[in-house]
Amino acid sequence: MGMQHTPLTMSRIISRGATLQPNSEIVTATDDGVRRQTYAQTVSRSNQLANALQRAGMEIGDRVGTFMWNGSRHVEAYYATANMGVVLHTVNIRLSPVDLEYVINHAEDKLMIVDADLLPTLEQLKERIPTVERFVIAAEPGLEDWETSLPNTIDYEEFIGDMPTVFDPPDIHENAPLGLCYTSGTTGNPKGVEYEHRAQFLHTLAICMTDAMSLSATDTLCGIVPMFHAMGWGLPWAGLMLGCKQVLPHRFMSPERLVDLMSQERVTLSAGVPTIWQGIKAFIEQNPKKHDLSQVSRLTCGGSAPPESLVEWYWDELGVEMIQGWGMTETSPLGTLARRTSKQWHLTASPSQLTQNSCKAGLLMPGLELDVFDEDFNRVPHDGESVGEILIRGPWICSEYFRDPQPSKFHEDWLITGDVGSIDPEENLIIADRSKDLVKSGGEWISSVDLENHIVAMDGIAQACVVAQPHPRWGERPVALVVLDDSESVSADEIKDHCSLKFAKWQLPDDVLYVDHIPLTSTGKLDKKTVRAQLDTDGYVLPDMR
Amino acid sequence: MGMQHTPLTMSRIISRGATLQPNSEIVTATDDGVRRQTYAQTVSRSNQLANALQRAGMEIGDRVGTFMWNGSRHVEAYYATANMGVVLHTVNIRLSPVDLEYVINHAEDKLMIVDADLLPTLEQLKERIPTVERFVIAAEPGLEDWETSLPNTIDYEEFIGDMPTVFDPPDIHENAPLGLCYTSGTTGNPKGVEYEHRAQFLHTLAICMTDAMSLSATDTLCGIVPMFHAMGWGLPWAGLMLGCKQVLPHRFMSPERLVDLMSQERVTLSAGVPTIWQGIKAFIEQNPKKHDLSQVSRLTCGGSAPPESLVEWYWDELGVEMIQGWGMTETSPLGTLARRTSKQWHLTASPSQLTQNSCKAGLLMPGLELDVFDEDFNRVPHDGESVGEILIRGPWICSEYFRDPQPSKFHEDWLITGDVGSIDPEENLIIADRSKDLVKSGGEWISSVDLENHIVAMDGIAQACVVAQPHPRWGERPVALVVLDDSESVSADEIKDHCSLKFAKWQLPDDVLYVDHIPLTSTGKLDKKTVRAQLDTDGYVLPDMR
């Protein structure tokens, strides 16, 4: 043995930021402004929380649930449980009551920390989540007088108030569980992904690489992606390790509030799904030059591929690089990342080429393996044309689901991601679709995402969603649902004509439906499952078959 | 188990660069220019080398020695042995024959790869290194007709020529040994540090962080620090992982050749010891505006603290950030790193403040623990004043020496670094000295490094070296040796007056000795052991005692 085999536990990195930058701030949006606390205060309060959780009987490996927005107390819960060896189950606040009941019972959460404004949602379940012995209520300004029908509740401040501000982390194994996050579950019950210390330790170092998100101690991070979604893409951990200023929007998610926050707090990097950035773009276009966003340099965009028009707009109008990331709950989440400039030859490439780079899912993170496979699990060529199932493996990739192994989701030691795509000769991953959202027409695949991104780039179109509908001859055919911008009118023929600029005739949507809004999933993606169910309920049939 | 426990072996990251940027180049300096090969070629050739080493009987865990300059074949040896699970013993070509014999025998190198121009040095040992079964001779242009009295030799190209260009790495444990590097050994025999796969995997991710060296796939790296010294500070590994262009000076180490190389190959980052940067500064001052170094953005400087005047000159004259790193063979090597801008408040700090930042040893890398201790192993306050022994621990810190545990070099699970220093209120490490180079006068410490850096900042002084000399009353007193710039004259009184601007009277050197040159160690540091031995041989006595 020549080197120390120090366990790679999160307690070894998460206090570094507070040590180096004790006065760096964590800013949480409130009803009428923001509230601030320093990293030094955050660590003291987190240690109080750890001591309080220990007094409440939480032991190494127990699950503590959070039912919370992004805010400083949620960061404290991350920090405290990681140091204790307790498992943080970040419950998705947008789940249906049925799924909520399932995940809380399946995880056997022993205690839950709940944002006061979210109490009504949980109260619906109060008789049906018996493992939860105690509810700790986090009250933001204006909500201090919370009341609830939930049993065994205590205010967060009272819970931690009299506790010591120091906490000595116990020794735990580097593969001990750290967090638990359930996938949104488009079919069947939600499935739990158990994050482990070592995996998140590695993921945290990796996302701080220059060629990843280029995170730095001098950054001001605004995590819009919920902290209940795949560990908030790792930003809370990276922030704690580096001492970045963190700006958290809590429940104030309107484009106006987000833009205000990013401008006033001088945010340098923010992270969210494309629908957030679409909304912010629309707001800025309606309110030009009202906000100073000159400090923003990078927006990290995940969850689904952004339209090229969106990437271009942010670069041209704001000088902001939209970094596309690809991953999922099962991949901790970062698998690939697309930067404008990631290779030697990009240094002299044209701006439009660089924008193209950002529209792909990008290059594989170091330490992982990824490839595209056909139905017999043979690797397909990296020609940018051959489409297949994306498989991935490596030290921060899920090996099985929590108490629900699901062997069909794995092939040997690879995770079958459920995404289909291709790899181009430059080794960029290009996502075609979720495998269940692909339209299979006459034996050929049509990418619903490609059609959507093409349609949404048209003037007058606010949103587009393409789903498959059954067809007796072709198997499936694509149908487009569109939301128009206010007071705009775009005909179905215009949309089809526009699509025919890029797509073959057989790939064009058979029908265009005008709707007022398109439902989104709990993680902000187009909810195609609901769209398809609604069409079914409405008795929709394709034009061919009418 | 929720996550895959993929072993953190180097084979999982070192082929990434060649996959993403197969046409990126490795450039090696030659007698009359450079020779180039692509990453794709490098991987093919490395695989040929691995197959050839296997054919020659090298098995997992065996030691293969290199006796080489920085060049593409040395990179191939890194790559091939890492993939094979063979241990690369990078022999320091500047060791004395006695030490060379010791390290090769102690490591039991089974095969050695030797640069042809270095054959005469090894030939001296030919009867005394019996474990070496074979010598593979790497011949740069002009040296193809090498001849040697060493037995069992073969030309590198012949050795690998007929081998397959693919190699499938065997499964090895993540804590398996990867490399072996002996410390230069200022007392006693050299001691071997065994690098392990996991430790270097983590170190490689860490140095690619924005807040570390900000390495990127778009960088062109020029590793001047020898690849036989602490894995070339990790640059060969980071380059292979990212696909950076690598520019390697081989045996052409004159300031003129280095500046030519950096300019012509558009180097963005280079790494070396302060004496290299002093030499290059002097060359540029004598040859102003002759070379375009506008592409260079960072110089990484390790081995000893750079004088502030040097850091300032590079920033003011060339716009180049000198990044100070602190570490040693035992720390893989990166322990701390000083950047100009590493905290939120630095964003609005003055240029001179930022230069100050770069002159400290800087901030601890994530995942490590470091502190300063008094003689009873109590931690001293982080006040920038309290000096003590620096201890460090973590996943890329040495736990014992190879076949030579040396328990006195460790305290519990901490490495006793042999450096003394302090930590300031901003958590910057400040190195006072090697513990053996401190001058202890009247029970108080005087830092020889501080005095040297202060003296060398004077006009007319090329180099300065301060060593302790025995004194009957004070224990030890400092003596300064100085090398003057050509045709300059600076009196001893002027030097002492200059020192008294910063140092207390009792800290001033008792004597100033004018010398033509100061001996350097095999790693380019001031060789104070030799200086002291020479003063002893010369019968030097302090002025007080004459």
Side-chain angles (χ1 to χ4, degrees):
Chain A
M1 168 164 140
M3 289 283 141
Q4 301 184 12
H5 299 162
T6 316
L8 308 179
T9 51
M10 294 302 280
S11 64
R12 295 183 183 273
I13 50 175
I14 58 177
S15 61
R16 182 174 174 275
T19 304
L20 300 187
Q21 302 204 66
N23 298 321
S24 193
E25 287 180 327
I26 297 185
V27 178
T28 306
T30 62
D31 240 337
D32 54 0
V34 296
R35 61 179 181 77
R36 300 169 188 282
Q37 68 188 39
T38 64
Y39 268 58
Q41 289 169 322
T42 303
V43 165
S44 291
R45 289 172 52 83
S46 299
N47 287 338
Q48 288 185 300
L49 176 60
N51 286 311
L53 288 169
Q54 211 163 54
R55 177 182 54 182
M58 299 305 116
E59 293 175 4
I60 292 174
D62 283 347
R63 264 83 55 204
V64 164
T66 50
F67 200 67
M68 302 176 88
W69 300 98
N70 290 9
S72 64
R73 290 191 185 89
H74 211 165
V75 175
E76 290 164 13
Y78 267 60
Y79 186 104
T81 52
N83 261 357
M84 296 173 75
V86 159
V87 182
L88 187 77
H89 173 202
T90 51
V91 181
N92 184 335
I93 62 175
R94 301 203 188 97
L95 290 182
S96 67
V98 172
D99 281 351
L100 272 182
E101 180 183 339
Y102 175 83
V103 302
I104 294 168
N105 283 316
H106 188 262
E108 297 182 23
D109 292 333
K110 218 164 147 183
L111 179 148
M112 289 188 78
I113 308 174
V114 183
D115 262 329
D117 63 293
L118 299 171
L119 282 167
T121 312
L122 269 199
E123 283 165 2
Q124 303 173 54
L125 308 175
K126 70 178 173 215
E127 311 292 335
R128 303 203 297 278
I129 45 175
T131 63
V132 185
E133 297 166 5
R134 196 152 199 196
F135 296 90
V136 178
I137 314 303
E140 290 296 317
L143 298 166
E144 295 88 345
D145 299 328
W146 55 270
E147 288 185 6
T148 182
S149 60
L150 287 173
N152 302 320
T153 56
I154 183 171
D155 190 89
Y156 185 99
E157 296 305 315
E158 191 185 334
F159 185 62
I160 71 166
D162 58 345
M163 287 285 110
T165 58
V166 292
F167 179 83
D168 192 21
D171 288 335
I172 57 171
H173 193 279
E174 67 179 20
N175 289 325
L178 168 77
L180 185 60
C181 184
Y182 284 78
T183 61
S184 6
T186 42
T187 53
N189 283 322
K191 296 183 292 295
V193 174
E194 199 174 38
Y195 296 122
E196 294 177 357
H197 279 263
R198 163 178 157 130
Q200 279 294 315
F201 184 110
L202 292 166
H203 185 266
T204 305
L205 289 188
I207 67 173
C208 293
M209 288 173 50
T210 313
D211 285 351
M213 299 188 196
S214 310
L215 298 180
S216 159
T218 58
D219 268 319
T220 296
L221 310 180
C222 179
I224 297 175
V225 53
M227 289 169 67
F228 54 75
H229 185 208
M231 306 247 90
W233 299 354
L235 292 183
W237 299 128
L240 287 167
M241 182 175 87
L242 300 176
C244 305
K245 180 174 168 183
Q246 295 193 54
V247 179
L248 299 167
H250 206 261
R251 63 195 184 279
F252 306 101
M253 298 286 279
S254 72
E256 180 165 12
R257 278 303 302 270
L258 291 175
V259 172
D260 274 346
L261 198 62
M262 288 168 65
S263 163
Q264 283 161 15
E265 297 297 331
R266 311 289 289 155
V267 165
T268 60
L269 177 140
S270 184
V273 291
T275 43
I276 294 280
W277 306 127
Q278 290 278 19
I280 287 181
K281 167 175 177 274
F283 174 81
I284 293 173
E285 286 176 324
Q286 285 153 24
N287 301 274
K289 300 194 194 302
K290 201 175 144 195
H291 293 87
D292 176 11
L293 292 172
S294 59
Q295 202 80 6
V296 182
S297 67
R298 290 151 292 157
L299 298 179
T300 304
C301 182
S304 56
E308 185 174 332
S309 54
L310 188 69
V311 174
E312 208 156 29
W313 184 88
Y314 273 99
W315 183 255
D316 291 346
E317 298 298 320
L318 301 181
V320 167
E321 178 183 5
M322 187 163 275
I323 304 175
Q324 193 190 157
W326 170 83
M328 51 191 61
T329 307
E330 290 86 340
T331 64
S332 288
L334 201 61
T336 67
L337 208 65
R339 299 295 303 258
R340 284 181 74 81
T341 308
S342 57
K343 298 191 173 195
Q344 303 262 332
W345 71 266
H346 296 163
L347 293 170
T348 53
S350 69
S352 74
Q353 172 64 58
L354 301 182
T355 297
Q356 295 282 342
N357 291 344
S358 297
C359 294
K360 297 171 183 172
L363 303 175
L364 187 63
M365 298 294 294
L368 303 181
E369 283 175 275
L370 176 146
D371 217 336
V372 173
F373 292 80
D374 69 16
E375 287 170 4
D376 300 321
F377 291 111
N378 301 308
R379 294 173 193 240
V380 307
H382 293 192
D383 55 12
E385 303 287 332
S386 305
V387 168
E389 184 88 45
I390 300 165
L391 274 63
I392 189 169
R393 62 183 176 185
W396 56 85
I397 308 301
C398 179
S399 61
E400 64 179 25
Y401 292 94
F402 180 62
R403 295 179 175 174
D404 182 11
Q406 299 269 355
S408 70
K409 304 287 183 187
F410 301 88
H411 172 69
E412 293 167 357
D413 59 347
W414 296 85
L415 170 73
I416 301 172
T417 66
D419 278 350
V420 295
S422 60
I423 296 177
D424 73 11
E426 287 280 343
E427 293 292 321
N428 290 294
L429 178 66
I430 299 163
I431 304 296
D433 224 325
R434 289 294 294 169
S435 52
K436 59 187 168 299
D437 292 337
L438 267 183
V439 183
K440 192 161 194 180
S441 172
E444 297 285 343
W445 297 109
I446 302 171
S447 163
S448 64
V449 173
D450 284 354
L451 279 169
E452 287 155 6
N453 282 342
H454 192 69
I455 295 170
V456 91
M458 291 181 79
D459 286 339
I461 305 277
Q463 274 186 295
C465 173
V466 171
V467 294
Q469 286 297 292
H471 188 286
R473 177 163 173 204
W474 302 113
E476 294 177 345
R477 291 295 303 152
V479 168
L481 287 78
V482 298
V483 180
L484 296 177
D485 280 336
D486 289 349
S487 71
E488 295 280 346
S489 115
V490 185
S491 74
D493 283 344
E494 285 172 313
I495 290 172
K496 288 185 199 173
D497 285 350
H498 176 72
C499 289
S500 65
L501 296 175
K502 181 168 170 188
F503 295 90
K505 191 153 182 289
W506 63 270
Q507 294 176 311
L508 303 185
D510 275 14
D511 203 358
V512 174
L513 308 177
Y514 295 88
V515 294
D516 291 336
H517 82 285
I518 292 167
L520 299 181
T521 68
S522 57
T523 55
K525 303 178 199 174
L526 298 172
D527 185 355
K528 299 191 182 180
K529 186 179 156 195
T530 299
V531 169
R532 285 190 297 258
Q534 190 59 47
L535 290 174
D536 199 34
T537 308
D538 296 350
Y540 176 81
V541 289
L542 287 163
D544 264 10
M545 301 151 59
R546 285 174 200 162
Chain B
M1 167 164 141
M3 288 283 142
Q4 301 183 12
H5 298 162
T6 316
L8 308 179
T9 50
M10 293 305 278
S11 65
R12 295 182 182 274
I13 50 175
I14 58 177
S15 61
R16 182 175 175 274
T19 303
L20 300 186
Q21 302 204 67
N23 298 320
S24 192
E25 288 180 327
I26 298 186
V27 178
T28 306
T30 62
D31 239 338
D32 54 359
V34 296
R35 60 179 181 77
R36 301 169 186 281
Q37 68 187 40
T38 65
Y39 268 58
Q41 290 170 322
T42 303
V43 165
S44 290
R45 289 172 52 84
S46 299
N47 288 338
Q48 289 185 302
L49 176 60
N51 286 311
L53 288 170
Q54 213 163 53
R55 177 182 54 182
M58 300 303 117
E59 293 175 4
I60 293 174
D62 283 347
R63 263 83 56 205
V64 164
T66 50
F67 199 68
M68 302 175 89
W69 300 97
N70 290 10
S72 64
R73 290 192 185 89
H74 211 166
V75 175
E76 290 163 13
Y78 267 61
Y79 187 104
T81 53
N83 262 357
M84 297 174 72
V86 158
V87 182
L88 186 76
H89 173 202
T90 51
V91 181
N92 185 335
I93 62 174
R94 301 203 189 97
L95 290 182
S96 66
V98 172
D99 281 350
L100 271 182
E101 178 183 340
Y102 176 82
V103 302
I104 294 168
N105 283 315
H106 188 262
E108 297 182 23
D109 293 333
K110 218 165 146 184
L111 180 149
M112 289 188 79
I113 308 175
V114 184
D115 263 328
D117 64 291
L118 299 172
L119 281 167
T121 312
L122 268 199
E123 283 165 2
Q124 301 174 55
L125 309 174
K126 69 178 173 215
E127 311 291 336
R128 303 202 297 278
I129 45 177
T131 63
V132 186
E133 298 166 4
R134 196 151 198 197
F135 295 90
V136 178
I137 314 303
E140 290 296 319
L143 298 166
E144 294 91 344
D145 299 328
W146 55 268
E147 287 184 7
T148 181
S149 60
L150 286 174
N152 302 319
T153 56
I154 183 171
D155 190 88
Y156 185 97
E157 296 305 315
E158 191 187 336
F159 185 61
I160 71 168
D162 57 346
M163 287 285 110
T165 57
V166 291
F167 180 83
D168 192 23
D171 288 335
I172 57 171
H173 193 280
E174 67 179 22
N175 290 325
L178 167 78
L180 184 59
C181 185
Y182 284 79
T183 61
S184 10
T186 40
T187 54
N189 283 323
K191 296 184 292 295
V193 175
E194 199 176 36
Y195 296 122
E196 293 177 356
H197 279 263
R198 164 179 158 128
Q200 278 294 315
F201 184 111
L202 293 165
H203 185 267
T204 305
L205 288 187
I207 66 172
C208 293
M209 289 174 50
T210 313
D211 285 351
M213 296 187 197
S214 308
L215 298 181
S216 159
T218 58
D219 268 320
T220 296
L221 310 180
C222 180
I224 298 175
V225 51
M227 290 170 67
F228 54 74
H229 185 208
M231 306 248 89
W233 299 353
L235 291 183
W237 299 126
L240 287 168
M241 181 174 88
L242 300 175
C244 305
K245 180 175 169 184
Q246 295 193 52
V247 178
L248 300 167
H250 205 261
R251 64 195 184 280
F252 306 101
M253 299 286 280
S254 73
E256 180 165 14
R257 278 301 303 269
L258 292 174
V259 172
D260 273 346
L261 198 63
M262 289 168 65
S263 163
Q264 283 162 15
E265 298 297 331
R266 311 291 288 157
V267 165
T268 59
L269 179 139
S270 184
V273 291
T275 43
I276 293 281
W277 307 127
Q278 292 277 18
I280 287 182
K281 168 175 178 273
F283 174 80
I284 294 173
E285 285 176 325
Q286 285 152 22
N287 301 273
K289 300 195 194 301
K290 200 175 146 197
H291 292 85
D292 176 11
L293 292 173
S294 59
Q295 202 79 5
V296 183
S297 67
R298 292 150 290 158
L299 297 179
T300 305
C301 182
S304 57
E308 186 173 333
S309 54
L310 187 69
V311 173
E312 208 155 29
W313 185 87
Y314 274 99
W315 183 255
D316 292 346
E317 298 298 319
L318 301 181
V320 166
E321 177 182 5
M322 188 163 274
I323 304 175
Q324 192 189 160
W326 170 84
M328 51 192 62
T329 306
E330 289 86 340
T331 63
S332 288
L334 200 61
T336 67
L337 208 65
R339 299 296 302 257
R340 285 181 73 82
T341 308
S342 57
K343 298 191 172 193
Q344 302 263 331
W345 72 265
H346 296 162
L347 294 170
T348 54
S350 68
S352 73
Q353 172 65 58
L354 300 182
T355 297
Q356 295 282 340
N357 291 343
S358 298
C359 296
K360 297 171 182 173
L363 304 175
L364 187 61
M365 297 295 293
L368 302 181
E369 284 176 274
L370 176 147
D371 216 338
V372 173
F373 293 80
D374 69 15
E375 285 169 4
D376 301 320
F377 291 110
N378 301 307
R379 293 173 193 241
V380 308
H382 292 190
D383 54 13
E385 305 285 332
S386 304
V387 168
E389 183 89 45
I390 299 166
L391 275 62
I392 190 168
R393 62 182 176 186
W396 58 84
I397 308 301
C398 178
S399 62
E400 63 180 27
Y401 292 94
F402 180 64
R403 295 180 174 173
D404 182 12
Q406 298 267 357
S408 69
K409 304 289 183 185
F410 300 88
H411 172 69
E412 292 165 0
D413 58 347
W414 297 84
L415 169 74
I416 301 172
T417 65
D419 277 350
V420 295
S422 60
I423 296 176
D424 73 11
E426 289 279 343
E427 293 294 321
N428 290 294
L429 178 66
I430 300 163
I431 305 295
D433 224 326
R434 289 295 293 169
S435 51
K436 59 188 168 300
D437 292 336
L438 268 181
V439 183
K440 193 159 193 181
S441 172
E444 297 286 342
W445 296 109
I446 301 171
S447 164
S448 63
V449 173
D450 284 354
L451 278 170
E452 286 156 7
N453 281 342
H454 192 70
I455 295 170
V456 91
M458 289 181 80
D459 287 339
I461 305 276
Q463 275 186 295
C465 172
V466 171
V467 294
Q469 286 296 292
H471 188 284
R473 176 161 174 206
W474 303 111
E476 294 177 343
R477 291 295 302 153
V479 169
L481 287 78
V482 298
V483 179
L484 295 179
D485 280 335
D486 289 349
S487 72
E488 295 281 344
S489 114
V490 185
S491 75
D493 282 346
E494 284 172 315
I495 291 171
K496 289 186 197 173
D497 284 352
H498 175 71
C499 290
S500 66
L501 295 175
K502 182 170 168 188
F503 295 90
K505 191 151 182 292
W506 62 271
Q507 294 176 311
L508 303 185
D510 274 16
D511 203 358
V512 175
L513 308 177
Y514 296 89
V515 294
D516 291 334
H517 82 285
I518 292 167
L520 299 181
T521 67
S522 57
T523 55
K525 303 179 200 175
L526 298 171
D527 185 356
K528 299 192 183 181
K529 185 179 157 195
T530 300
V531 169
R532 285 190 297 258
Q534 189 61 46
L535 290 174
D536 199 35
T537 308
D538 297 348
Y540 176 82
V541 288
L542 287 163
D544 264 11
M545 301 151 60
R546 287 173 198 162

